[in-house]
Amino acid sequence: MGKYTELDLDTEIIGKRIFHFDELSSTNNFSRELVEKGAEEGTVVVADEQTMGKGRKERTWYSPRGGLWFSIILYPNFIQTDRSILLTMAASISTAESINALADVEGKIKWPNDVLIGKKKVCGILTEMEADVDEIHHAIIGIGLNVNNELNQDLEEKATTLLKETGRNLSGEDVLRAILGNFEDLYFRLKNRGTRQIKKRWSDLSAIHQKEVLVEKGSKKIQGKVEGIDDRGRLVLRSEAGEHSIMTGDVEIL
Ligand code: BTN
């Protein structure tokens, strides 16, 4: 326990309870254990260092000291399973808005869940959940933000940190406080069935809005211009063949 437990938040549920560890294997994994023990909605788990940080597609996520590695526990049974991407979007929007305000950078979102500064990734989000066809039982939103940490050699080319971008050490507590506040606002909007704000703020922050992209979905590739996102958080592309709504995939800007 330590610094992150006294954030003095003015949120209603998100971050009301914060677990802070010096070291954990993965904040997502620990959150999963907490869910099994009946943790309250909005519980946050932060670790200064993760020894087995997880990324998307079973990749590892390099998580040394100096970065902000945390997870938020949610029970969003009001969101249908095929709209779960909206939760990830709420997280990427809150992160981008927070770093843009606090570090004066131009963080942009690459759908669905990366935050980039220029062409380099500063934040990744891993949402893990348990759901059946029409209801999400729990969701764990894991956010990894490169703040003051070092990057390893493999990452230097494609990733960046807030320290590198600004030349300043930002306080992890300030960044976390801002993200949790912004996230709660969007989460409550989703709870009230509101997707308008998410769609609008996503378009404002999107690195790919109105751009020509190539989306790789398994063995399928679709090229088109990004028109926006729909009410389910799907990416809407227009190609010569017509309109496509895409739920998941890897996006390359052409
Ligand atoms: C990605 O591949 O872009 C997603 C990276 C997500 C990393 C975060 S760090 C906090 C949380 N705990 C994990 O083990 N992963 C996520």
Side-chain angles (χ1 to χ4, degrees), residues 56-79:
R56 285 173 70 218
K57 301 190 174 164
E58 324 245 313
R59 295 185 191 122
T60 55
W61 181 261
Y62 183 59
S63 326
R65 257 154 227 285
L68 183 59
W69 325 120
F70 69 101
S71 307
I72 307 172
I73 296 175
L74 302 170
Y75 301 103
N77 57 4
F78 56 91
I79 298 179

Side-chain angles (χ1 to χ4, degrees), residues 10-232:
D10 57 8
T11 50
E12 271 174 49
I13 55 164
I14 306 294
K16 277 286 152 204
R17 182 92 202 262
I18 299 184
F19 290 84
H20 174 216
F21 295 89
D22 190 48
E23 186 185 292
L24 270 183
S25 62
S26 151
T27 57
N28 270 30
N29 288 356
F30 187 79
S31 298
R32 178 68 214 258
E33 289 172 29
L34 287 182
V35 165
E36 269 151 34
K37 292 186 187 138
E40 276 168 56
E41 174 156 76
T43 299
V44 168
V45 177
V46 198
D48 290 340
E49 193 177 335
Q50 295 184 118
T51 50
M52 282 192 352
K54 299 190 291 183
R56 285 173 70 218
K57 301 190 174 164
E58 324 245 313
R59 295 185 191 122
T60 55
W61 181 261
Y62 183 59
S63 326
R65 257 154 227 285
L68 183 59
W69 325 120
F70 69 101
S71 307
I72 307 172
I73 296 175
L74 302 170
Y75 301 103
N77 57 4
F78 56 91
I79 298 179
Q80 281 148 353
T81 309
D82 67 351
R83 291 157 62 101
S84 64
I85 191 86
L86 291 167
L87 291 171
T88 308
M89 293 177 80
S92 55
I93 294 169
S94 341
T95 306
E97 288 180 344
S98 303
I99 62 170
N100 291 356
L102 289 172
D104 200 17
V105 288
E106 256 199 75
K108 296 265 183 200
I109 300 165
K110 189 175 152 213
W111 182 86
N113 52 356
D114 290 347
V115 180
L116 312 180
I117 299 179
K119 289 201 163 122
K120 295 187 167 181
K121 178 158 162 172
V122 71
C123 167
I125 295 165
L126 175 68
T127 301
E128 295 184 291
M129 54 182 203
E130 201 179 277
D132 56 37
V133 226
D134 43 32
E135 191 177 295
I136 302 174
H137 301 304
H138 78 252
I140 295 166
I141 317 282
I143 302 183
L145 179 65
N146 294 321
V147 185
N148 304 313
N149 53 295
E150 300 276 306
L151 296 172
N152 64 22
Q153 239 182 355
D154 295 349
L155 290 172
E156 282 288 346
E157 244 176 61
K158 46 185 193 231
T160 189
T161 68
L162 293 178
L163 174 60
K164 276 189 146 191
E165 296 296 322
T166 63
R168 293 188 283 133
N169 262 289
L170 246 88
S171 133
E173 290 101 305
D174 288 349
V175 184
L176 181 62
R177 187 183 303 107
I179 296 175
L180 297 181
N182 285 337
F183 182 79
E184 179 169 280
D185 171 53
L186 290 172
Y187 186 61
F188 283 170
R189 286 175 196 274
L190 281 176
K191 209 168 188 160
N192 294 322
R193 306 279 182 267
T195 50
R196 199 177 57 88
Q197 273 287 324
I198 294 216
K199 281 158 59 179
K200 181 184 176 302
R201 280 150 82 172
W202 183 84
S203 305
D204 291 347
L205 288 164
S206 168
I208 59 172
H209 195 52
Q210 298 298 334
K211 294 217 168 114
E212 194 69 21
V213 297
L214 184 69
V215 182
E216 226 177 306
K217 219 185 140 188
S219 56
K220 234 170 109 187
K221 287 185 183 173
I222 306 169
Q223 185 178 331
K225 190 170 168 191
V226 176
E227 303 240 294
I229 50 166
D230 68 11
D231 277 337
R232 295 192 203 166

